[in-house]
Amino acid sequence: MSMNVRIVLMVIIGCGITVQRESEKGEPSIAIVGAGMAGLSTARRLLELGIDSFDIFEGLDRIGGRIHPVAYEDGYLQMGAQFINGAQNPLYKIAEKLDLLAEVVSDTAHVDKANYMHGQQKIDRNDIDAFLEFIKPLDHKYREIAKHNETVARRYSFKELFTLDYMRFLSENEISAGRRHVFDALARSFRSYWEFEWAADWSDLSVHVLREWDDQGPECESFATNKIGYRAILDEISRPIPSRAFHFNHTVDNIRISQLDGRIHVTTNRGLHPRVYDYIIVTSSLGVLKKYHHTMFTPPLARQKIEAIQKIGFGGSTKVFFEWENKFWPNDTYSIAPLPVKGMARDEVDIFEQETTILQTIDWAPNVLCGWYAGKGHAMVDNLSDEELSQKITRLLRDMYDDQDIEPPQKIIRSKLTKNELLLGSYSYMTPVQAMSRISHSQLAIPVKHSGRPRVLFAGEATHHRLFQTAIGAYLSGRREVDRALNDWNTFTRNATLSAIKKSGKASAADLSPSKISTSDIKTAVYNMIERETMQ
């Protein structure tokens, strides 16, 4: 054994560095909470760096988390992520390699291309066209405000800005009384555009989000995936991860940092896990952190961390797939916008009909319509039974198509994210309170430290300062936290080694060079030590 290796062994023993038998390469022991996009990318990054001994605790019985492709005929209904934002990112490259990209889609396509259906209601098509012309420049206008008027952008929500423009539009066009109700109904589609995109009630969505968020691609465009979509992306990322790493149906209840040595003890719904970890990377949704952070971490999180968890928004944007035995819409339909008007179709339009603003067709599943629900609509639809949903959607469509022979859907396919205690919603957004407090999403990524070293690290879409609310942000954040943990591990181990060499007086100045005491030296020394212990 070389002098350097003997010195490294002295350091490991003298400094009290704990080495578990299962870590045969002298690697840090790492736990990952969650097998969603961030958790899977964390594991892949560890494998890339030569570390294959880690544990993934997943409360569900599957990978993907909030990304949930559901098998349907010869494809998958994408319950979660469906689009890829921009081409300058690794998920686009994976999708391109696997031939998963279908088309470039405008964020406003579901509104711009919608068939507005209003049945026997006396609605003038000129009013619909006037409204569409009115909203056309607003997206660009709000983006310019976000870029150039930070005070207004931080202070106001999208609802507040739109209300100012809308009231001006009504006044300038002398729209009042019953005709006003038509435009109120049309305004629901514009509201839904912002709420679908950001998973937020637009009254709680800061305009400043348009300045913070950046996918480095053309504004208002994204790439739609084909009928396989994110199923193939998840499989590609998870393919090299050893099955032994996954602990499905294991919900992490508590993460405790030992005050003695800073190592991590994990308690799941199965009890205290026997393995102790150097680092744990938490990829739980912000919704889970909001609800359970006070019991999930010991010691409790710092005040600044809790403030970020509380003030950053986390909302819902979900899809409900309705399947009919016999389709009743034309083959060239892109999307359907039911338009029930107060005082015409109904004395009052109930919340379900207010929130059912868009039903989108699926080119490869011709008998299916996809209803999008966001903001208040997500929780509302999750609280309805399938029978209630069927009754309400049938009544709405019969009236808006003026066809009482339309049959109820024969199947409803959905996932109730807001009812799932392991998810509790879809993704994060920026609230006005967050914007006014100048809290960045990146504050969620600040690790919990012990003796100045990161021990509990955080990944997930909500921790990415520019690509929050995207699968890309989740993917990149997992890799980021692996690099943070291993940089700490290598720095600490090397510094401890150099310190011990200096104290020993058994090495020359040349031996103290980092090039002389490498990570491979340390790994080899630990491996040899374990081998000798095993032989005894």
Side-chain angles (χ1 to χ4, degrees):
M1 182 184 297
S2 69
M3 173 64 74
N4 280 348
V5 172
R6 284 198 295 270
I7 292 172
V8 170
L9 277 174
M10 291 168 56
V11 173
I12 292 171
I13 297 170
C15 295
I17 299 176
T18 304
V19 180
Q20 294 183 319
R21 288 181 181 273
E22 64 265 30
S23 186
E24 295 182 348
K25 298 178 183 177
E27 302 167 349
S29 53
I30 297 179
I32 303 167
V33 180
M37 180 60 77
L40 296 177
S41 74
T42 299
R44 276 297 297 267
R45 181 59 174 162
L46 287 170
L47 292 172
E48 288 174 14
L49 297 176
I51 297 175
D52 60 7
S53 180
F54 51 82
D55 292 305
I56 305 173
F57 297 102
E58 172 54 62
L60 300 171
D61 59 0
R62 59 173 177 82
I63 64 171
R66 287 166 278 168
I67 299 175
H68 187 195
V70 175
Y72 181 82
E73 295 185 351
D74 61 344
Y76 292 86
L77 300 175
Q78 307 293 331
M79 287 293 181
Q82 178 177 342
F83 302 95
I84 295 176
N85 300 87
Q88 306 302 317
N89 65 78
L91 289 192
Y92 177 90
K93 293 177 182 178
I94 292 173
E96 186 177 43
K97 180 182 74 172
L98 300 177
D99 196 25
L100 302 174
L101 299 172
E103 60 180 332
V104 178
V105 179
S106 165
D107 291 347
T108 60
H110 66 282
V111 175
D112 298 337
K113 299 180 181 181
N115 290 347
Y116 285 88
M117 306 305 301
H118 48 80
Q120 292 187 355
Q121 300 173 113
K122 295 181 179 179
I123 296 176
D124 190 331
R125 178 66 210 192
N126 290 330
D127 282 348
I128 296 176
D129 292 338
F131 181 80
L132 294 177
E133 191 65 26
F134 156 62
I135 65 172
K136 186 182 297 183
L138 294 185
D139 184 287
H140 178 72
K141 175 182 178 179
Y142 298 158
R143 291 178 187 277
E144 289 298 299
I145 290 173
K147 291 177 183 176
H148 304 297
N149 194 331
E150 185 175 354
T151 300
V152 170
R154 287 187 183 274
R155 179 176 178 181
Y156 288 95
S157 69
F158 283 96
K159 181 180 180 179
E160 289 171 321
L161 283 193
F162 174 75
T163 299
L164 293 174
D165 288 322
Y166 183 52
M167 297 308 293
R168 188 180 303 113
F169 166 76
L170 295 177
S171 175
E172 291 174 352
N173 291 275
E174 298 181 346
I175 298 168
S176 60
R179 189 173 172 226
R180 158 76 185 265
H181 293 319
V182 174
F183 287 93
D184 288 348
L186 288 164
R188 296 196 295 261
S189 65
F190 187 70
R191 165 183 59 80
S192 69
Y193 158 58
W194 295 102
E195 295 190 342
F196 294 163
E197 186 70 16
W198 300 100
D201 182 329
W202 73 335
S203 66
D204 191 43
L205 177 62
S206 171
V207 176
H208 189 65
V209 74
L210 294 176
R211 180 169 179 165
E212 288 288 294
W213 195 88
D214 182 13
D215 65 358
Q216 300 181 351
E219 290 182 351
C220 303
E221 282 189 359
S222 55
F223 295 90
T225 55
N226 63 18
K227 62 184 179 181
I228 306 300
Y230 272 84
R231 175 71 272 162
I233 294 173
L234 290 174
D235 290 343
E236 173 69 12
I237 295 171
S238 63
R239 178 178 46 77
I241 302 173
S243 58
R244 57 177 164 75
F246 291 100
H247 302 274
F248 291 111
N249 299 306
H250 279 64
T251 303
V252 172
D253 294 329
N254 183 256
I255 297 166
R256 180 173 65 85
I257 303 176
S258 170
Q259 296 306 295
L260 294 176
D261 59 11
R263 304 196 75 214
I264 310 297
H265 301 261
V266 177
T267 300
T268 74
N269 56 326
R270 311 291 182 92
L272 180 65
H273 193 73
R275 191 177 184 191
V276 182
Y277 300 95
D278 296 299
Y279 306 95
I280 187 166
I281 300 176
V282 179
T283 72
S284 305
S285 78
L286 177 57
V288 169
L289 294 180
K290 282 178 178 290
K291 188 169 182 177
Y292 293 110
H293 73 80
H294 60 289
T295 59
M296 194 172 178
F297 301 96
T298 305
L301 297 176
R303 178 182 58 81
Q304 294 89 341
K305 187 83 169 182
I306 294 174
E307 182 184 20
I309 289 172
Q310 291 173 337
K311 290 185 176 180
I312 295 175
F314 187 77
S317 182
T318 192
K319 288 168 265 186
V320 178
F321 296 93
F322 300 95
E323 178 193 79
W324 275 269
E325 182 177 0
N326 301 299
K327 61 181 294 188
F328 52 86
W329 57 92
N331 290 331
D332 61 351
T333 302
Y334 182 84
S335 62
I336 299 166
L339 198 66
V341 176
K342 178 181 177 179
M344 291 185 180
R346 314 271 187 267
D347 289 337
E348 295 290 339
V349 179
D350 69 20
I351 186 170
F352 174 81
E353 295 187 344
Q354 291 176 31
E355 297 295 334
T356 305
T357 57
I358 291 292
L359 296 166
Q360 201 159 6
T361 59
I362 301 173
D363 56 0
W364 60 271
N367 283 35
V368 174
L369 292 177
C370 175
W372 290 72
Y373 295 90
K376 294 184 178 72
H378 189 170
M380 177 276 300
V381 79
D382 280 359
N383 283 323
L384 294 175
S385 67
D386 283 1
E387 183 179 359
E388 290 172 318
L389 265 178
S390 178
Q391 291 173 351
K392 288 179 176 294
I393 196 68
T394 302
R395 180 191 183 215
L396 175 63
L397 291 172
R398 283 175 176 175
D399 289 352
M400 294 303 99
Y401 273 86
D402 190 23
D403 182 357
Q404 297 304 307
D405 291 329
I406 292 177
E407 301 171 347
Q410 65 178 2
K411 184 184 292 185
I412 295 176
I413 305 167
R414 58 174 170 156
S415 60
K416 298 182 180 181
L417 291 179
T418 64
K419 297 295 186 180
N420 189 323
E421 289 294 305
L422 300 173
L423 303 173
L424 293 174
S426 52
Y427 46 81
S428 64
Y429 62 92
M430 174 171 279
T431 67
V433 171
Q434 173 192 351
M436 290 294 288
S437 301
R438 297 184 177 272
I439 294 174
S440 166
H441 273 65
S442 61
Q443 287 181 228
L444 289 177
I446 297 173
V448 177
K449 295 184 177 182
H450 179 273
S451 299
R453 296 181 57 206
R455 294 295 192 170
V456 181
L457 303 96
F458 296 84
E461 54 83 16
T463 71
H464 198 286
H465 71 300
R466 285 288 184 261
L467 287 165
F468 47 90
Q469 66 103 354
T470 67
I472 301 163
Y475 180 90
L476 294 174
S477 70
R479 299 174 64 84
R480 177 196 68 212
E481 294 310 310
V482 170
D483 291 345
R484 190 200 302 268
L486 294 190
N487 179 66
D488 172 76
W489 173 262
N490 293 333
T491 300
F492 171 76
T493 308
R494 184 173 291 112
N495 288 344
T497 302
L498 294 173
S499 176
I501 291 173
K502 289 178 183 179
K503 291 180 181 179
S504 72
K506 296 180 179 181
S508 66
D511 290 324
L512 301 182
S513 167
S515 63
K516 295 290 185 179
I517 307 296
S518 66
T519 302
S520 61
D521 284 335
I522 296 169
K523 288 184 177 182
T524 301
V526 173
Y527 179 79
N528 290 339
M529 181 178 70
I530 293 173
E531 283 292 294
R532 288 198 304 277
E533 289 181 353
T534 303
M535 295 294 292
Q536 292 176 354

